Amino acid sequence: MKLDPVFTVKNNKLYKIADDSQVEVSSLKRVDIPWSTIELSPESYNEEYLANLREELKPLDETESFVYLAPKVDKALNTPEDIELYVNAFNHCARRIKDCQCVAGIELPAEVLSKGTTEDSAMIWFMETLAKKHGQYVYFAAEEAVKNLNLADKLQNLAIVIY
């Protein structure tokens, strides 16, 4: 099931597609999701947690409230194998909540941003993997992380909301 996008990104700002109005990220609810809560061991996912997450999100579809998911990197993210596990875990999470229209998108944690912005970076891999089935999502990056990592210029032309 593919959902139509509700939001778009222009100049690193969030806009509602329906009326082209700018949306403050602070109006969205942040949902923190620790990686270790989703992936109990390599490629073994916490289906009970993901089912509960979906149950919490679904009622928001009726209220026109929106959230963004904020992955928490609480495991090693050093090797290409670690990055693959991370990407797969959050892609699995997205599959489990795929029909939740209230999910505007996903934050790119500093740990992922710190891996670079090239075409083969963890950030691009993450975004491209999720976009295959979840093209409605927009991506968010905390302004503090962007500043600390000196990424403002590199993210300027990417569809990432900096808040």
Side-chain angles (χ1 to χ4, degrees):
M1 160 189 259
K2 288 197 175 195
L3 298 176
D4 291 328
V6 175
F7 300 99
T8 190
V9 180
K10 298 178 193 173
N11 299 319
N12 300 115
K13 303 287 183 197
L14 184 65
Y15 288 83
K16 199 163 194 176
I17 292 172
D19 62 6
D20 202 35
S21 61
Q22 187 173 343
V23 178
E24 291 299 322
V25 175
S26 61
S27 70
L28 308 178
K29 180 182 176 189
R30 177 188 176 103
V31 178
D32 292 327
I33 302 177
W35 177 12
S36 63
T37 301
I38 291 177
E39 187 180 53
L40 303 173
S41 61
E43 298 184 25
S44 175
Y45 304 114
N46 186 341
E47 298 299 342
E48 181 178 353
Y49 172 82
L50 295 170
N52 289 336
L53 177 62
R54 183 184 175 282
E55 291 301 314
E56 288 177 28
L57 294 173
K58 279 308 286 176
L60 297 176
D61 289 350
E62 303 303 319
T63 66
E64 293 191 31
S65 297
F66 292 94
V67 305
Y68 66 98
L69 307 180
K72 295 292 164 207
V73 179
D74 59 354
K75 297 183 186 187
L77 191 62
N78 301 319
T79 67
E81 293 79 16
D82 295 339
I83 294 168
E84 182 176 11
L85 288 170
Y86 172 83
V87 169
N88 289 343
F90 283 95
N91 190 44
H92 185 79
C93 175
R95 279 197 303 265
R96 292 296 176 253
I97 60 169
K98 68 183 174 191
D99 65 335
C100 295
Q101 297 172 342
C102 67
V103 179
I106 301 179
E107 182 177 273
L108 300 165
E111 296 88 348
V112 171
L113 293 171
S114 71
K115 303 294 181 193
T117 60
T118 61
E119 287 185 28
D120 62 343
S121 69
M123 177 189 73
I124 299 298
W125 184 10
F126 181 81
M127 292 169 51
E128 288 179 349
T129 299
L130 268 71
K132 289 176 187 172
K133 298 262 178 158
H134 313 284
Q136 78 275 18
Y137 289 163
V138 295
Y139 296 91
F140 300 86
E143 186 174 23
E144 183 178 341
V146 171
K147 283 181 181 177
N148 290 343
L149 296 166
N150 296 315
L151 293 176
D153 290 341
K154 292 178 181 175
L155 298 183
Q156 190 172 25
N157 295 322
L158 295 176
I160 297 173
V161 177
I162 300 174
Y163 70 97

